[in-house]
Amino acid sequence: QVQLVESGGGLVQPGGSLRLSCAASGRIRSIAAMRWYRQAPGKQRELVASIASDGSTNYAVSVQSRFTISRDNAQNTVNLQMTSLKPEDTAVYYCNAEVRDWTSTYYFQRWGQGTPVTVSS
């Protein structure tokens, strides 16, 4: 019964900034990787950024130097700080996490329902 809920999406002008947040709730023992994906109209869902439990990060080439992913393990949250936004960043952004509850011997994947981001003047 683990759920992810995203927030922070909206309309922003090119060059602007936006901060997305995702909170995991439920009977959580631990969370391994946490990720942000996005899906633009007519395109496949793509990985934007990921962060491991030790804080190591990876970014898509298209967003590196502009986006920053971070997490708070105590609060089971992950954030995506987006700066210098471009129209091509327009998409629905989804939170993803590999989670384990107190009865699990393995991690399972959970997805948020998505938050839309529109970059337009």
Side-chain angles (χ1 to χ4, degrees):
Q1 203 68 25
V2 177
Q3 292 183 311
L4 304 179
V5 179
E6 304 102 330
S7 62
L11 175 64
V12 64
Q13 293 184 334
S17 299
L18 208 60
R19 181 177 180 270
L20 306 182
S21 296
C22 173
S25 62
R27 291 168 51 89
I28 300 170
R29 178 180 182 180
S30 61
I31 303 178
M34 303 187 80
R35 312 176 185 95
W36 285 98
Y37 286 78
R38 68 185 181 187
Q39 187 167 24
K43 301 188 68 176
Q44 287 191 314
R45 190 170 299 184
E46 64 175 344
L47 178 64
V48 176
S50 65
I51 183 167
S53 59
D54 66 358
S56 60
T57 59
N58 287 286
Y59 298 92
V61 172
S62 60
V63 308
Q64 63 186 28
S65 81
R66 299 188 298 118
F67 291 10
T68 301
I69 188 171
S70 61
R71 66 188 288 169
D72 184 334
N73 292 332
Q75 299 296 321
N76 292 324
T77 59
V78 61
N79 302 309
L80 186 68
Q81 180 66 53
M82 305 184 294
T83 62
S84 301
L85 284 162
K86 305 174 181 179
E88 52 262 43
D89 295 319
T90 296
V92 177
Y93 284 70
Y94 296 90
C95 179
N96 171 272
E98 298 293 329
V99 304
R100 184 173 62 156
D101 64 25
W102 289 99
T103 66
S104 298
T105 58
Y106 56 89
Y107 287 87
F108 50 91
Q109 190 178 71
R110 285 290 180 270
W111 290 89
Q113 62 186 28
T115 184
V117 172
T118 301
V119 184
S120 176
S121 60

